Structures are given as structure tokens and as C-alpha cells.
Amino acid sequence: GASGSVHLVVRREDRENNSNCIDGADGTAVAARSKKKYALKKVIPNTELEASMLKVEIEVMAASRHPNIVRCFATFRHEGAFWISMEHMSGGCLTDVLDFLQKKKLCLTEPHIALILRECLKGLQHMHLHRRLHRDIKSDNVLLCGASGRIKLADFGFVAQLTEERKKRNTIVGTPYWMAPELIRGCEYDHKVDVWSLGILAIECADWEPPHINEAPMQAMMLITTRPPPKPR
């Protein structure tokens, strides 16, 4: 497994019927306990490409020891699925906070937004210094610790490793509404795509949702590449 020596035993019924289960785009996370509470992420890759991307995610999380990046402790495979034990973030994701505020017709204040962005920037700075790109910055991947209030980046399924020989990439990945224009166009890109996505996250924090969210993904991508950078409403 990945670095770490945590041994977890989770009963099948706990994995399948856990009330603290969260379904994500690439897997399911549940809360698990040994002597300490962990998040246990289950992912079933459908292709070799997905398995390869998952291995990258595991390696990045295991290697990224930073206060603003969710820690990965151990991994194992069972019945075709990858199980990844991660730091448990009891406050959930930022998306849940924004959804709650939207229902109450409340908004985050500028100091709150500044705090969120500052903490995300710390995590991104660490990744960029190690020549890694996140490429999927959005509220779903910003997690909160309820006890300490710590804000951390998670979900590195789209992470890219930059080498000295290849300081730019040209693969198209990410979530459309947060994607930078050069990512959509398939042009070469670097760490600036994460900065763009962080800017979209700032707008999401102010407006509850990112620009063009009511458009179909393909339409949104066309608007992102043909219009000036968006501003908060």
C-alpha cells in the first residue's frame, strides 16, 4: 500500500450501509474507525487508464505532507476495488456549506472567502513547488475539519506530474465549469490552470455556484473559451 502503517478492519455491512457514506465522481467515501476515525475511499476502476489515474492519486496523496492537503495513510485492494484510508475531515466539503447558505439566502463574507482561498493557495503552492498540478480545484475538493476549522485540498485523480523535460502538459482533464481556457482548447498549460480554477472557486464562494453552471457542459466550455474571464454577479 501507500506509505503509512495504519491497519483498518471494516465490516462489509459497515462499508455498504454506512450512514456516513459520500458518493463522489470517482468513488465512495465512508467514515471508518480503528482507534482513530478515518475516511475510507472505495474506488472500482473500470479501465486500465482509470486504475493508472488512481495510482497517481494515491502516490500524490501519500507524498503530499502538508497542513492544507488531506493525508493518505494506507491503501489495499479487495474484490477488485481500491480502498484508500485517508484523513477524516468531519466538516465535509465546501460544496455542502455553499448549498446550505444558498438555501438560507446567506452569503460568505469577504473575510471568509479570503480565508478559504488563502488556505487553498498554501496547499497549491506546496504542490506546485513539487511540480504537481491539481487540475480539478472546485468546492467539492475543498474539505473542512469541523473541530479545528482547517481547510484542505483533496481528490487528486486529475493530478499531473511536471518534469524538467516537460514543464507543460496538453491533456484535457478537469471539471468543465472550473476549467481554464487553455485546458479546454487542448493547448499546453502549466500551474496557471490551477490559479484560474481557484479564481472560479472564489466566484463560486461569492455566488454559491460557478459561472455558466446552468449551461450544458459543452456550451459552458464554448463560453469559457470565447468570452472574457467571468466576474462575480
PDB file of all heavy atoms in Angstrom, residues 24-41:
ATOM      1  N   GLY A  24     -18.798  10.248  -4.579  1.00  0.00           N
ATOM      2  CA  GLY A  24     -18.120  11.262  -5.368  1.00  0.00           C
ATOM      3  C   GLY A  24     -18.079  10.869  -6.823  1.00  0.00           C
ATOM      4  O   GLY A  24     -18.613   9.830  -7.223  1.00  0.00           O
ATOM      5  N   ALA A  25     -17.426  11.713  -7.635  1.00  0.00           N
ATOM      6  CA  ALA A  25     -17.374  11.458  -9.072  1.00  0.00           C
ATOM      7  C   ALA A  25     -16.604  10.188  -9.392  1.00  0.00           C
ATOM      8  O   ALA A  25     -16.898   9.503 -10.360  1.00  0.00           O
ATOM      9  CB  ALA A  25     -16.732  12.652  -9.780  1.00  0.00           C
ATOM     10  N   ASP A  26     -15.615   9.858  -8.569  1.00  0.00           N
ATOM     11  CA  ASP A  26     -14.773   8.713  -8.892  1.00  0.00           C
ATOM     12  C   ASP A  26     -14.762   7.650  -7.808  1.00  0.00           C
ATOM     13  O   ASP A  26     -13.923   6.769  -7.799  1.00  0.00           O
ATOM     14  CB  ASP A  26     -13.339   9.181  -9.167  1.00  0.00           C
ATOM     15  CG  ASP A  26     -12.717   9.850  -7.960  1.00  0.00           C
ATOM     16  OD1 ASP A  26     -13.470  10.177  -7.027  1.00  0.00           O
ATOM     17  OD2 ASP A  26     -11.493  10.038  -7.952  1.00  0.00           O
ATOM     18  N   GLY A  27     -15.706   7.705  -6.873  1.00  0.00           N
ATOM     19  CA  GLY A  27     -15.722   6.672  -5.849  1.00  0.00           C
ATOM     20  C   GLY A  27     -16.623   7.039  -4.698  1.00  0.00           C
ATOM     21  O   GLY A  27     -17.360   8.014  -4.743  1.00  0.00           O
ATOM     22  N   THR A  28     -16.572   6.231  -3.648  1.00  0.00           N
ATOM     23  CA  THR A  28     -17.397   6.425  -2.469  1.00  0.00           C
ATOM     24  C   THR A  28     -16.499   6.518  -1.249  1.00  0.00           C
ATOM     25  O   THR A  28     -15.551   5.757  -1.113  1.00  0.00           O
ATOM     26  CB  THR A  28     -18.369   5.241  -2.299  1.00  0.00           C
ATOM     27  OG1 THR A  28     -19.211   5.180  -3.442  1.00  0.00           O
ATOM     28  CG2 THR A  28     -19.216   5.410  -1.050  1.00  0.00           C
ATOM     29  N   ALA A  29     -16.794   7.463  -0.356  1.00  0.00           N
ATOM     30  CA  ALA A  29     -16.023   7.601   0.876  1.00  0.00           C
ATOM     31  C   ALA A  29     -16.929   7.321   2.064  1.00  0.00           C
ATOM     32  O   ALA A  29     -18.078   7.757   2.100  1.00  0.00           O
ATOM     33  CB  ALA A  29     -15.433   9.005   0.992  1.00  0.00           C
ATOM     34  N   VAL A  30     -16.436   6.556   3.021  1.00  0.00           N
ATOM     35  CA  VAL A  30     -17.186   6.282   4.242  1.00  0.00           C
ATOM     36  C   VAL A  30     -16.300   6.593   5.432  1.00  0.00           C
ATOM     37  O   VAL A  30     -15.082   6.640   5.325  1.00  0.00           O
ATOM     38  CB  VAL A  30     -17.645   4.804   4.316  1.00  0.00           C
ATOM     39  CG1 VAL A  30     -18.545   4.466   3.158  1.00  0.00           C
ATOM     40  CG2 VAL A  30     -16.448   3.865   4.355  1.00  0.00           C
ATOM     41  N   ALA A  31     -16.932   6.825   6.576  1.00  0.00           N
ATOM     42  CA  ALA A  31     -16.177   7.038   7.805  1.00  0.00           C
ATOM     43  C   ALA A  31     -15.891   5.684   8.433  1.00  0.00           C
ATOM     44  O   ALA A  31     -16.770   4.837   8.525  1.00  0.00           O
ATOM     45  CB  ALA A  31     -16.978   7.910   8.768  1.00  0.00           C
ATOM     46  N   ALA A  32     -14.650   5.452   8.824  1.00  0.00           N
ATOM     47  CA  ALA A  32     -14.261   4.180   9.425  1.00  0.00           C
ATOM     48  C   ALA A  32     -13.481   4.448  10.704  1.00  0.00           C
ATOM     49  O   ALA A  32     -12.847   5.487  10.848  1.00  0.00           O
ATOM     50  CB  ALA A  32     -13.403   3.375   8.443  1.00  0.00           C
ATOM     51  N   ARG A  33     -13.533   3.481  11.625  1.00  0.00           N
ATOM     52  CA  ARG A  33     -12.830   3.651  12.894  1.00  0.00           C
ATOM     53  C   ARG A  33     -11.905   2.477  13.163  1.00  0.00           C
ATOM     54  O   ARG A  33     -12.230   1.337  12.878  1.00  0.00           O
ATOM     55  CB  ARG A  33     -13.823   3.744  14.065  1.00  0.00           C
ATOM     56  CG  ARG A  33     -14.510   5.080  14.199  1.00  0.00           C
ATOM     57  CD  ARG A  33     -15.361   5.100  15.458  1.00  0.00           C
ATOM     58  NE  ARG A  33     -16.080   6.343  15.607  1.00  0.00           N
ATOM     59  CZ  ARG A  33     -15.580   7.438  16.163  1.00  0.00           C
ATOM     60  NH1 ARG A  33     -14.337   7.431  16.610  1.00  0.00           N
ATOM     61  NH2 ARG A  33     -16.302   8.530  16.279  1.00  0.00           N
ATOM     62  N   SER A  34     -10.728   2.765  13.675  1.00  0.00           N
ATOM     63  CA  SER A  34      -9.930   1.763  14.367  1.00  0.00           C
ATOM     64  C   SER A  34      -9.805   2.366  15.761  1.00  0.00           C
ATOM     65  O   SER A  34     -10.789   2.506  16.456  1.00  0.00           O
ATOM     66  CB  SER A  34      -8.589   1.537  13.670  1.00  0.00           C
ATOM     67  OG  SER A  34      -7.898   2.751  13.519  1.00  0.00           O
ATOM     68  N   LYS A  35      -8.638   2.814  16.173  1.00  0.00           N
ATOM     69  CA  LYS A  35      -8.545   3.598  17.402  1.00  0.00           C
ATOM     70  C   LYS A  35      -8.775   5.072  17.090  1.00  0.00           C
ATOM     71  O   LYS A  35      -8.966   5.884  17.977  1.00  0.00           O
ATOM     72  CB  LYS A  35      -7.175   3.398  18.049  1.00  0.00           C
ATOM     73  CG  LYS A  35      -6.974   1.997  18.618  1.00  0.00           C
ATOM     74  CD  LYS A  35      -5.631   1.888  19.316  1.00  0.00           C
ATOM     75  CE  LYS A  35      -5.460   0.497  19.910  1.00  0.00           C
ATOM     76  NZ  LYS A  35      -4.139   0.363  20.582  1.00  0.00           N
ATOM     77  N   LYS A  36      -8.739   5.394  15.817  1.00  0.00           N
ATOM     78  CA  LYS A  36      -8.916   6.756  15.356  1.00  0.00           C
ATOM     79  C   LYS A  36      -9.862   6.726  14.171  1.00  0.00           C
ATOM     80  O   LYS A  36      -9.966   5.717  13.482  1.00  0.00           O
ATOM     81  CB  LYS A  36      -7.552   7.334  14.940  1.00  0.00           C
ATOM     82  CG  LYS A  36      -7.565   8.783  14.524  1.00  0.00           C
ATOM     83  CD  LYS A  36      -6.144   9.236  14.188  1.00  0.00           C
ATOM     84  CE  LYS A  36      -6.132  10.685  13.730  1.00  0.00           C
ATOM     85  NZ  LYS A  36      -4.757  11.123  13.372  1.00  0.00           N
ATOM     86  N   LYS A  37     -10.565   7.820  13.918  1.00  0.00           N
ATOM     87  CA  LYS A  37     -11.514   7.855  12.815  1.00  0.00           C
ATOM     88  C   LYS A  37     -10.803   8.241  11.525  1.00  0.00           C
ATOM     89  O   LYS A  37     -10.013   9.180  11.499  1.00  0.00           O
ATOM     90  CB  LYS A  37     -12.636   8.847  13.108  1.00  0.00           C
ATOM     91  CG  LYS A  37     -13.859   8.669  12.221  1.00  0.00           C
ATOM     92  CD  LYS A  37     -15.022   9.499  12.736  1.00  0.00           C
ATOM     93  CE  LYS A  37     -16.291   9.211  11.950  1.00  0.00           C
ATOM     94  NZ  LYS A  37     -17.436   9.991  12.454  1.00  0.00           N
ATOM     95  N   TYR A  38     -11.101   7.503  10.445  1.00  0.00           N
ATOM     96  CA  TYR A  38     -10.512   7.766   9.140  1.00  0.00           C
ATOM     97  C   TYR A  38     -11.620   7.850   8.095  1.00  0.00           C
ATOM     98  O   TYR A  38     -12.732   7.379   8.313  1.00  0.00           O
ATOM     99  CB  TYR A  38      -9.547   6.642   8.735  1.00  0.00           C
ATOM    100  CG  TYR A  38      -8.384   6.463   9.662  1.00  0.00           C
ATOM    101  CD1 TYR A  38      -8.464   5.589  10.743  1.00  0.00           C
ATOM    102  CD2 TYR A  38      -7.212   7.180   9.477  1.00  0.00           C
ATOM    103  CE1 TYR A  38      -7.403   5.434  11.611  1.00  0.00           C
ATOM    104  CE2 TYR A  38      -6.143   7.024  10.341  1.00  0.00           C
ATOM    105  CZ  TYR A  38      -6.245   6.157  11.407  1.00  0.00           C
ATOM    106  OH  TYR A  38      -5.193   6.011  12.271  1.00  0.00           O
ATOM    107  N   ALA A  39     -11.288   8.428   6.958  1.00  0.00           N
ATOM    108  CA  ALA A  39     -12.167   8.348   5.794  1.00  0.00           C
ATOM    109  C   ALA A  39     -11.649   7.196   4.949  1.00  0.00           C
ATOM    110  O   ALA A  39     -10.448   7.083   4.708  1.00  0.00           O
ATOM    111  CB  ALA A  39     -12.134   9.645   5.001  1.00  0.00           C
ATOM    112  N   LEU A  40     -12.540   6.333   4.523  1.00  0.00           N
ATOM    113  CA  LEU A  40     -12.158   5.178   3.720  1.00  0.00           C
ATOM    114  C   LEU A  40     -12.802   5.329   2.350  1.00  0.00           C
ATOM    115  O   LEU A  40     -14.018   5.285   2.226  1.00  0.00           O
ATOM    116  CB  LEU A  40     -12.628   3.895   4.401  1.00  0.00           C
ATOM    117  CG  LEU A  40     -12.053   2.574   3.898  1.00  0.00           C
ATOM    118  CD1 LEU A  40     -10.533   2.566   4.024  1.00  0.00           C
ATOM    119  CD2 LEU A  40     -12.650   1.414   4.683  1.00  0.00           C
ATOM    120  N   LYS A  41     -11.987   5.549   1.345  1.00  0.00           N
ATOM    121  CA  LYS A  41     -12.493   5.800  -0.003  1.00  0.00           C
ATOM    122  C   LYS A  41     -12.429   4.521  -0.829  1.00  0.00           C
ATOM    123  O   LYS A  41     -11.381   3.891  -0.934  1.00  0.00           O
ATOM    124  CB  LYS A  41     -11.667   6.897  -0.681  1.00  0.00           C
ATOM    125  CG  LYS A  41     -12.124   7.237  -2.093  1.00  0.00           C
ATOM    126  CD  LYS A  41     -11.328   8.404  -2.646  1.00  0.00           C
ATOM    127  CE  LYS A  41     -11.767   8.761  -4.052  1.00  0.00           C
ATOM    128  NZ  LYS A  41     -11.017   9.922  -4.579  1.00  0.00           N
TER     129      LYS A  41
END
